[in-house]
Amino acid sequence: FCFSVVWIPPTTGRSASMPLPFQPRYVELEEKGRILIIKFNRPKAMNSMPPAMHVELAKVFKYFDTTDDLWVAIVTGNGAAFSAGFDLKTAAGMAPKEDTELDIKTGIELEGPVDGNGIQGGTGFAGLTERDGIKPVIAAVNGVAHGGGFETALACDIIIASEKANFALPEPKVGLFAAAGGVVRLPRMIGYHNAMHLILTGRPVTAPEALRLGICSQVVPGPQLLAAAEELANQVVACSPDSIQASLQTVKRSMAEETSVLEAVKKQMKYPAVRRLFKSPNVKEGPTAFAQKRKPNWAAPTPLAKL
């Protein structure tokens, strides 16, 4: 699987960002203005993911998170599946060597602790399930999202689905459990009893039921899925990126760290992205644009590491 990056020139008014500095093997990428579209591209294998694909996706999301002019990402799958999860050939010891070699240095170097997949500097299944990012990621679930595929979607900030989408955590049926965040995130998303019904049975959930349960927020006809995801991403891009990132960081950290709502409300002003918001030119640009009856001209946020 060897594919080139689809490179869209930056839109007017946007400073140029560097193309991805390596050749992706498992995904197709496209930049549309502030949006990065990531398509899992192993359709014959239902977009199941071998170890090398996790490395590649960790690099892709490091690129996304460190490229100032990219503000929203969309993940989806080519073919009939979003992702069927872990690659069974790898599990059976039958995967080709290139699918199991962990190259953490070519193009973008991964650094940091070992993740749950045993990857130095990795960020979990599909580069998402252990990612600690503050830029939003939208999952456009086009078909089967089972096991790690479902966990990948759960690690995103918004999930929309096609009418053919199908969700499941079937790991207990093969003697495993959903260890890439499924058993942690799903109860927080849809409540304990609804989640346990799915976790303890491994049964699949159709798109209409997923919408009813709150797994996804929108169901659209399959041919309209990517367009719907892009429309949603553009609605996010229309907002101040500082506000979006401050909001996302506050939601994630307050849910993870605070049990008291009052304590969380007090502590939110100390979060780095919130402090940055009030120093950003965007905090003045918004009211100014409103008063002048024009669209805001948002500036890319200053990287938190430079503050």
Short mmCIF file of all heavy atoms in Angstrom, two decimals, residues 49-82:
data_model
loop_
_atom_site.label_atom_id
_atom_site.label_comp_id
_atom_site.label_asym_id
_atom_site.label_seq_id
_atom_site.Cartn_x
_atom_site.Cartn_y
_atom_site.Cartn_z
N MET A 49 -5.82 -2.43 11.27
CA MET A 49 -4.58 -1.68 11.47
C MET A 49 -3.46 -2.54 12.05
O MET A 49 -3.54 -2.99 13.20
CB MET A 49 -4.85 -0.49 12.39
CG MET A 49 -5.90 0.46 11.84
SD MET A 49 -6.00 2.00 12.75
CE MET A 49 -7.49 2.71 12.03
N PRO A 50 -2.38 -2.76 11.28
CA PRO A 50 -1.20 -3.42 11.80
C PRO A 50 -0.35 -2.43 12.59
O PRO A 50 -0.59 -1.22 12.54
CB PRO A 50 -0.48 -3.89 10.53
CG PRO A 50 -0.85 -2.86 9.50
CD PRO A 50 -2.26 -2.44 9.84
N PRO A 51 0.67 -2.90 13.31
CA PRO A 51 1.48 -2.00 14.14
C PRO A 51 2.07 -0.81 13.39
O PRO A 51 2.09 0.31 13.90
CB PRO A 51 2.56 -2.93 14.68
CG PRO A 51 1.91 -4.27 14.74
CD PRO A 51 1.02 -4.32 13.54
N ALA A 52 2.58 -1.04 12.17
CA ALA A 52 3.19 0.06 11.43
C ALA A 52 2.20 1.16 11.11
O ALA A 52 2.58 2.33 10.97
CB ALA A 52 3.84 -0.47 10.15
N MET A 53 0.92 0.82 10.99
CA MET A 53 -0.09 1.83 10.70
C MET A 53 -0.31 2.73 11.92
O MET A 53 -0.56 3.93 11.77
CB MET A 53 -1.40 1.16 10.29
CG MET A 53 -2.46 2.13 9.79
SD MET A 53 -3.85 1.22 9.03
CE MET A 53 -4.97 2.57 8.63
N HIS A 54 -0.21 2.17 13.12
CA HIS A 54 -0.33 3.00 14.32
C HIS A 54 0.81 4.01 14.39
O HIS A 54 0.62 5.16 14.78
CB HIS A 54 -0.32 2.12 15.58
CG HIS A 54 -1.44 1.14 15.64
ND1 HIS A 54 -2.76 1.50 15.49
CD2 HIS A 54 -1.45 -0.20 15.86
CE1 HIS A 54 -3.53 0.43 15.59
NE2 HIS A 54 -2.76 -0.61 15.81
N VAL A 55 2.01 3.57 14.01
CA VAL A 55 3.16 4.48 13.98
C VAL A 55 2.91 5.60 12.99
O VAL A 55 3.11 6.78 13.29
CB VAL A 55 4.45 3.71 13.62
CG1 VAL A 55 5.61 4.69 13.43
CG2 VAL A 55 4.80 2.70 14.70
N GLU A 56 2.46 5.22 11.78
CA GLU A 56 2.21 6.23 10.76
C GLU A 56 1.17 7.24 11.23
O GLU A 56 1.34 8.46 11.04
CB GLU A 56 1.75 5.55 9.48
CG GLU A 56 1.48 6.54 8.34
CD GLU A 56 1.31 5.82 7.01
OE1 GLU A 56 2.31 5.25 6.52
OE2 GLU A 56 0.18 5.82 6.47
N LEU A 57 0.10 6.76 11.84
CA LEU A 57 -0.95 7.67 12.29
C LEU A 57 -0.49 8.53 13.46
O LEU A 57 -0.92 9.68 13.59
CB LEU A 57 -2.21 6.88 12.63
CG LEU A 57 -3.01 6.45 11.39
CD1 LEU A 57 -3.98 5.33 11.74
CD2 LEU A 57 -3.75 7.63 10.79
N ALA A 58 0.37 8.01 14.31
CA ALA A 58 0.94 8.84 15.38
C ALA A 58 1.72 10.00 14.78
O ALA A 58 1.66 11.14 15.27
CB ALA A 58 1.82 8.00 16.29
N LYS A 59 2.45 9.73 13.69
CA LYS A 59 3.19 10.79 13.02
C LYS A 59 2.23 11.78 12.36
O LYS A 59 2.46 13.00 12.40
CB LYS A 59 4.13 10.19 11.97
CG LYS A 59 5.27 9.37 12.54
CD LYS A 59 6.14 8.81 11.42
CE LYS A 59 7.31 8.00 11.96
NZ LYS A 59 8.16 7.47 10.87
N VAL A 60 1.18 11.28 11.74
CA VAL A 60 0.21 12.16 11.08
C VAL A 60 -0.43 13.10 12.11
O VAL A 60 -0.56 14.31 11.86
CB VAL A 60 -0.87 11.32 10.37
CG1 VAL A 60 -2.05 12.21 9.95
CG2 VAL A 60 -0.29 10.62 9.14
N PHE A 61 -0.79 12.56 13.28
CA PHE A 61 -1.43 13.43 14.28
C PHE A 61 -0.42 14.35 14.97
O PHE A 61 -0.79 15.45 15.40
CB PHE A 61 -2.22 12.60 15.28
CG PHE A 61 -3.55 12.18 14.74
CD1 PHE A 61 -3.78 10.88 14.34
CD2 PHE A 61 -4.57 13.10 14.56
CE1 PHE A 61 -4.99 10.50 13.78
CE2 PHE A 61 -5.79 12.75 14.01
CZ PHE A 61 -6.00 11.44 13.62
N LYS A 62 0.84 13.94 15.03
CA LYS A 62 1.86 14.87 15.52
C LYS A 62 2.00 16.02 14.54
O LYS A 62 2.11 17.19 14.93
CB LYS A 62 3.20 14.15 15.70
CG LYS A 62 4.29 15.04 16.30
CD LYS A 62 5.55 14.26 16.64
CE LYS A 62 6.60 15.16 17.27
NZ LYS A 62 7.83 14.40 17.64
N TYR A 63 1.98 15.71 13.24
CA TYR A 63 2.02 16.75 12.21
C TYR A 63 0.81 17.69 12.35
O TYR A 63 0.96 18.92 12.33
CB TYR A 63 2.02 16.09 10.83
CG TYR A 63 1.79 17.01 9.68
CD1 TYR A 63 2.79 17.87 9.22
CD2 TYR A 63 0.55 17.03 9.02
CE1 TYR A 63 2.56 18.71 8.14
CE2 TYR A 63 0.33 17.88 7.94
CZ TYR A 63 1.34 18.71 7.51
OH TYR A 63 1.11 19.55 6.44
N PHE A 64 -0.37 17.11 12.51
CA PHE A 64 -1.58 17.92 12.67
C PHE A 64 -1.50 18.81 13.91
O PHE A 64 -1.78 20.01 13.84
CB PHE A 64 -2.79 16.99 12.76
CG PHE A 64 -4.08 17.65 13.18
CD1 PHE A 64 -4.66 18.63 12.41
CD2 PHE A 64 -4.71 17.29 14.37
CE1 PHE A 64 -5.85 19.24 12.79
CE2 PHE A 64 -5.90 17.88 14.76
CZ PHE A 64 -6.47 18.88 13.97
N ASP A 65 -1.09 18.23 15.02
CA ASP A 65 -1.08 18.97 16.28
C ASP A 65 -0.02 20.07 16.30
O ASP A 65 -0.15 21.04 17.06
CB ASP A 65 -0.87 18.02 17.45
CG ASP A 65 -2.11 17.20 17.78
OD1 ASP A 65 -3.23 17.72 17.57
OD2 ASP A 65 -1.98 16.05 18.23
N THR A 66 1.03 19.93 15.51
CA THR A 66 2.12 20.91 15.54
C THR A 66 2.12 21.84 14.33
O THR A 66 3.01 22.68 14.21
CB THR A 66 3.49 20.20 15.62
OG1 THR A 66 3.63 19.29 14.53
CG2 THR A 66 3.62 19.43 16.93
N THR A 67 1.15 21.69 13.44
CA THR A 67 1.03 22.60 12.29
C THR A 67 0.01 23.67 12.65
O THR A 67 -1.19 23.41 12.74
CB THR A 67 0.61 21.84 11.02
OG1 THR A 67 1.59 20.84 10.71
CG2 THR A 67 0.48 22.79 9.84
N ASP A 68 0.49 24.89 12.86
CA ASP A 68 -0.36 25.95 13.40
C ASP A 68 -1.58 26.25 12.54
O ASP A 68 -2.64 26.64 13.05
CB ASP A 68 0.46 27.24 13.57
CG ASP A 68 1.62 27.08 14.55
OD1 ASP A 68 1.59 26.10 15.33
OD2 ASP A 68 2.54 27.91 14.53
N ASP A 69 -1.45 26.09 11.23
CA ASP A 69 -2.52 26.49 10.32
C ASP A 69 -3.56 25.39 10.07
O ASP A 69 -4.48 25.59 9.28
CB ASP A 69 -1.93 26.94 8.99
CG ASP A 69 -1.14 28.23 9.13
OD1 ASP A 69 -1.63 29.13 9.84
OD2 ASP A 69 -0.05 28.34 8.55
N LEU A 70 -3.40 24.24 10.70
CA LEU A 70 -4.42 23.19 10.64
C LEU A 70 -5.19 23.21 11.95
O LEU A 70 -4.61 23.07 13.03
CB LEU A 70 -3.77 21.82 10.40
CG LEU A 70 -3.15 21.62 9.02
CD1 LEU A 70 -2.40 20.29 8.97
CD2 LEU A 70 -4.21 21.68 7.92
N TRP A 71 -6.52 23.35 11.86
CA TRP A 71 -7.33 23.56 13.06
C TRP A 71 -8.29 22.42 13.35
O TRP A 71 -8.72 22.25 14.50
CB TRP A 71 -8.12 24.86 12.93
CG TRP A 71 -7.26 26.08 12.85
CD1 TRP A 71 -5.89 26.15 13.01
CD2 TRP A 71 -7.68 27.43 12.59
NE1 TRP A 71 -5.44 27.43 12.87
CE2 TRP A 71 -6.52 28.26 12.60
CE3 TRP A 71 -8.92 28.02 12.34
CZ2 TRP A 71 -6.58 29.63 12.38
CZ3 TRP A 71 -8.97 29.38 12.12
CH2 TRP A 71 -7.82 30.19 12.15
N VAL A 72 -8.67 21.65 12.34
CA VAL A 72 -9.63 20.55 12.52
C VAL A 72 -9.18 19.39 11.65
O VAL A 72 -8.71 19.59 10.53
CB VAL A 72 -11.07 20.96 12.12
CG1 VAL A 72 -12.05 19.83 12.42
CG2 VAL A 72 -11.50 22.24 12.81
N ALA A 73 -9.35 18.16 12.15
CA ALA A 73 -9.09 16.97 11.35
C ALA A 73 -10.36 16.14 11.21
O ALA A 73 -11.22 16.14 12.10
CB ALA A 73 -7.98 16.11 11.98
N ILE A 74 -10.47 15.46 10.08
CA ILE A 74 -11.55 14.50 9.83
C ILE A 74 -10.90 13.15 9.57
O ILE A 74 -9.96 13.05 8.79
CB ILE A 74 -12.39 14.91 8.60
CG1 ILE A 74 -13.10 16.24 8.85
CG2 ILE A 74 -13.42 13.82 8.27
CD1 ILE A 74 -13.73 16.82 7.58
N VAL A 75 -11.39 12.10 10.23
CA VAL A 75 -10.92 10.75 9.94
C VAL A 75 -12.08 9.93 9.39
O VAL A 75 -13.21 10.01 9.89
CB VAL A 75 -10.30 10.05 11.17
CG1 VAL A 75 -9.02 10.73 11.59
CG2 VAL A 75 -11.28 9.99 12.33
N THR A 76 -11.80 9.17 8.34
CA THR A 76 -12.81 8.31 7.74
C THR A 76 -12.09 7.14 7.09
O THR A 76 -10.86 7.05 7.15
CB THR A 76 -13.67 9.09 6.73
OG1 THR A 76 -14.81 8.32 6.36
CG2 THR A 76 -12.89 9.48 5.49
N GLY A 77 -12.83 6.24 6.48
CA GLY A 77 -12.22 5.08 5.85
C GLY A 77 -12.56 4.98 4.38
O GLY A 77 -13.67 5.33 3.97
N ASN A 78 -11.63 4.50 3.59
CA ASN A 78 -11.92 4.17 2.19
C ASN A 78 -12.56 2.78 2.13
O ASN A 78 -12.21 1.89 2.91
CB ASN A 78 -10.64 4.18 1.35
CG ASN A 78 -10.21 5.59 0.96
OD1 ASN A 78 -11.03 6.51 0.92
ND2 ASN A 78 -8.93 5.77 0.68
N GLY A 79 -13.48 2.60 1.21
CA GLY A 79 -14.13 1.30 1.06
C GLY A 79 -15.34 1.16 1.97
O GLY A 79 -15.96 2.14 2.38
N ALA A 80 -15.67 -0.08 2.30
CA ALA A 80 -16.91 -0.38 3.03
C ALA A 80 -16.78 -0.23 4.53
O ALA A 80 -17.78 -0.27 5.24
CB ALA A 80 -17.37 -1.80 2.69
N ALA A 81 -15.56 -0.09 5.05
CA ALA A 81 -15.36 -0.05 6.50
C ALA A 81 -14.71 1.25 6.93
O ALA A 81 -13.90 1.84 6.20
CB ALA A 81 -14.50 -1.24 6.94
N PHE A 82 -15.06 1.69 8.13
CA PHE A 82 -14.29 2.74 8.81
C PHE A 82 -12.99 2.10 9.28
O PHE A 82 -11.91 2.45 8.85
CB PHE A 82 -15.10 3.30 9.97
CG PHE A 82 -14.38 4.34 10.79
CD1 PHE A 82 -14.21 5.62 10.31
CD2 PHE A 82 -13.90 4.04 12.07
CE1 PHE A 82 -13.55 6.59 11.06
CE2 PHE A 82 -13.25 4.99 12.83
CZ PHE A 82 -13.07 6.27 12.33
#
